[in-house]
Each structure stands twice: as structure tokens, then as C-alpha cells.
Amino acid sequence: MKYLWLVLFFMFVGCTSIQNKQHDLKQSIIGITGDGNPEYDYVYTDLNDNGVDEAIVLLKGINWCGSGGCTLLILENKVESYTLLSRSTITSAPISVTETKNHGWKDLIVRTRGKGFVLMKFDGRQYPSNPSLAPTASEDQVKLSRPVLELKLPK
């Protein structure tokens, strides 16, 4: 019986921390965008190997997407909230993470209209704001990268 209580306790604590993490992310996105009810896809992954997951957020909807793609936010986890590290326009899924790094941050591979897959390198302050100006990713770079945010088709 005591094991059941332990299991229930850890299930509750684990679920609560996941819910809080998602709530903190949403509140951070609202604060950054000024959009009271933003639509977005997201994934948590550690981009700088510090043991803390950052949030990769792809905004959706007419306020954030155009013919070239949507706005991508990279949010750094500051424990109590997320802060904007980088904002990029004209970005589409899939979004992948490489093992190569620049200035301590992993490179990203994103799709951008008219150019295909591009390699986005951190410059010490941010990732490129316009992915169409980034170099095209090679086939090997795409194959060796780890997809983290897949294209979601409408149901």
C-alpha cells in the first residue's frame, strides 16, 4: 500500500511539473508576441548541452505565417520562465537539430520556401532572423540531424 502512495505521489508531481512547464511556456509566448491566444507547435530540447531544455516554438496562424513560412522562436529556459533567444521568419517544419555547434549552441536545420532545407548557425547572440539567407543544408547534414518538430497536417 505504501508503494501505491509513492507511485501516486510521483505521478502527481511529474504531471504537475509538465503542466507548469507548458503553462510557463504559453505565458512566455504571450508576453513575447503580445498575442493573447497564440497558436503554436513546440518541442523541448537541450540546444546548448547545459542539461536544461530550451523550447523551439513554431507560431501558427495568419498573424505569424505568410507564403514563405511561419515565425520560429527559440526560447531559453530560465527556470521560472522562458526568455526570447532568437526569432526567425519564413520557417517551416520539419525542424531538426544537429550535433554540430557554433558558440556552444547546436545548429538547426529548417525548411524555408524557395530554398529548401537550410543550416541555421548560432552567431553568439541568435540564430539567423531570415533563414532564406542561411546556407543550404547538405543531404548528409539533413540525414545526420535529429528531427524534433515534424510537419503536422490538418486533420
Side-chain angles (χ1 to χ4, degrees), residues 15-26:
C15 291
T16 302
S17 70
I18 290 170
Q19 289 171 348
N20 287 342
K21 190 175 186 180
Q22 291 170 351
H23 174 76
D24 292 344
L25 177 62
K26 183 173 184 175

Side-chain angles (χ1 to χ4, degrees), residues 55-70:
I56 298 174
V57 178
L58 189 60
L59 297 171
K60 302 187 307 186
I62 60 171
N63 293 330
W64 305 106
C65 299
S67 61
C70 299

Side-chain angles (χ1 to χ4, degrees), residues 38-57:
E39 294 179 59
Y40 57 91
D41 291 325
Y42 68 96
V43 65
Y44 299 111
T45 190
D46 189 358
L47 295 174
N48 59 359
D49 289 331
N50 67 348
V52 179
D53 287 344
E54 283 69 44
I56 298 174
V57 178

Side-chain angles (χ1 to χ4, degrees), residues 106-149:
K106 293 179 182 176
D107 297 336
L108 303 176
I109 295 178
V110 303
R111 184 188 302 258
T112 189
R113 186 169 184 192
K115 195 161 181 186
F117 291 107
V118 297
L119 183 65
M120 295 189 19
K121 297 179 181 184
F122 190 74
D123 70 3
R125 293 179 325 144
Q126 64 184 10
Y127 288 94
S129 61
N130 184 345
S132 69
L133 301 177
T136 302
S138 71
E139 284 185 39
D140 284 342
Q141 287 170 321
V142 173
K143 285 179 189 174
L144 293 173
S145 66
R146 177 177 53 92
V148 292
L149 194 59

